[in-house]
Amino acid sequence: GITNLAIGPGHKLLNDPDDGSTAYHGFGTRPVEMLAVTGACLMVQRGRFRAVDGFDESLAVAYNDVALCMSLHEKGYRNLQRNDITLLHHESASRGTDETPERRARRLAELSRLYELHPAYRGWDPYYSRYLKGDSQHYEIATHFDWEDETLLQTPEVCAQPREEVWQDALPEIGQVAVQVDRQVAGDRMRVQIDRMEQEDGVILVEGWAFLQGADNAGRTVALLWRPEGGGCYRIRTVPRLRRDVAAVYPQERNILLCGFVARWKLLRVMFV
């Protein structure tokens, strides 16, 4: 079966096991309605095939089967994928893949042509839930975390200078940073690591994790203290991030799954006198 994802048509449950053990609601084990099915094995009544003028020859290689199924669906017919029948198809065995620059350009041109012919289906599939990811063929729930928002920018807040020894070296153009957990600056009880720190186009990005050792870390807040070149001190609120890897390393600690943090803010060019 073919799902019309937001990024274009893709084979449903590609490379997933064929025993139904991971299939979305049994979609790999029983007949299901789909917007489109692959032309590798496709049957349609002759009269219906002719009623939609068959395959569109402007789609010489890719998406001609999808366009045919869309045309049939527009006529009110239903396309059924028979998961109870098994066939083996060596996809692209004779012509090769679309990974060369020339073939990739041809495929993208044919994708554009597909939606010229069927604009109503651009980014829409009546058999695919809008609560599933639009860029995955594996029918995954469309979870979105705050830390994934690349546009999220925090506003630095002026704060008091902490002890000198808590500052950690940063990139020269950024300055220095320190970590707070519930207003407690990094000390003996705190476990902290900064995994990533960079500055691009005037935006600073810092990622890492921090928690208070031996404490219940549920609901604790993590913030960054920032001292740019030239002096002063600013407090940056962070966005929590799930860190199963850290929780696995510290199984004795309580409620540290959300100990990860991400912060983004604008670089300030301020000189203090």
Side-chain angles (χ1 to χ4, degrees), residues 195 209 242-250 257 259:
D195 299 321
W209 54 266
L242 186 70
R243 292 299 298 260
R244 297 186 188 276
D245 55 334
V246 180
V249 173
Y250 296 95
L257 277 172
C259 69

Side-chain angles (χ1 to χ4, degrees), residues 1-5 8-12 34-40 42 49 52 54-56 59 61-74 79 91 107 110-111 113-115 117-118 121-126 137:
I2 295 175
T3 299
N4 188 40
L5 300 162
H11 289 292
K12 179 195 70 177
M34 300 289 294
L35 176 61
V37 295
T38 177
L42 184 154
F49 182 79
V52 296
F55 290 111
D56 192 298
L59 300 170
V61 178
Y63 306 121
N64 43 62
D65 48 2
V66 179
L68 173 68
C69 291
M70 287 180 174
S71 295
L72 290 166
H73 190 265
E74 287 171 340
N79 298 312
E91 184 179 11
R107 182 181 61 81
E110 290 179 329
L111 178 62
R113 175 59 178 163
L114 171 68
Y115 291 127
L117 295 170
H118 303 281
Y121 295 99
R122 186 185 295 272
W124 177 69
D125 186 322
Q137 296 161 298

Side-chain angles (χ1 to χ4, degrees), residues 107-178:
R107 182 181 61 81
L108 292 175
E110 290 179 329
L111 178 62
S112 178
R113 175 59 178 163
L114 171 68
Y115 291 127
E116 288 178 10
L117 295 170
H118 303 281
Y121 295 99
R122 186 185 295 272
W124 177 69
D125 186 322
Y127 301 98
Y128 190 73
S129 172
R130 62 188 180 93
Y131 296 108
L132 299 176
K133 287 184 177 181
D135 60 355
S136 172
Q137 296 161 298
H138 301 283
Y139 282 48
E140 299 173 87
I141 297 175
T143 55
H144 180 80
F145 300 98
D146 289 340
W147 58 265
E148 295 177 299
D149 188 350
E150 293 292 335
T151 66
L152 185 65
L153 292 178
Q154 300 296 328
T155 301
E157 305 169 354
V158 178
C159 65
Q161 292 268 11
R163 300 193 313 270
E164 189 71 19
E165 61 267 22
V166 304
W167 294 108
Q168 302 184 35
D169 291 334
L171 300 176
E173 62 269 27
I174 291 177
Q176 294 178 304
V177 297

Side-chain angles (χ1 to χ4, degrees), residues 79-90:
N79 298 312
L80 186 70
Q81 181 194 355
R82 293 291 302 273
N83 287 306
D84 55 328
I85 300 174
T86 302
L87 296 95
L88 185 63
H89 168 57
H90 298 280

Side-chain angles (χ1 to χ4, degrees), residues 43-64:
M43 292 187 295
V44 60
Q45 191 181 76
R46 180 184 300 177
R48 295 172 185 175
F49 182 79
R50 289 178 172 174
V52 296
D53 297 325
F55 290 111
D56 192 298
E57 295 188 6
S58 65
L59 300 170
V61 178
Y63 306 121
N64 43 62

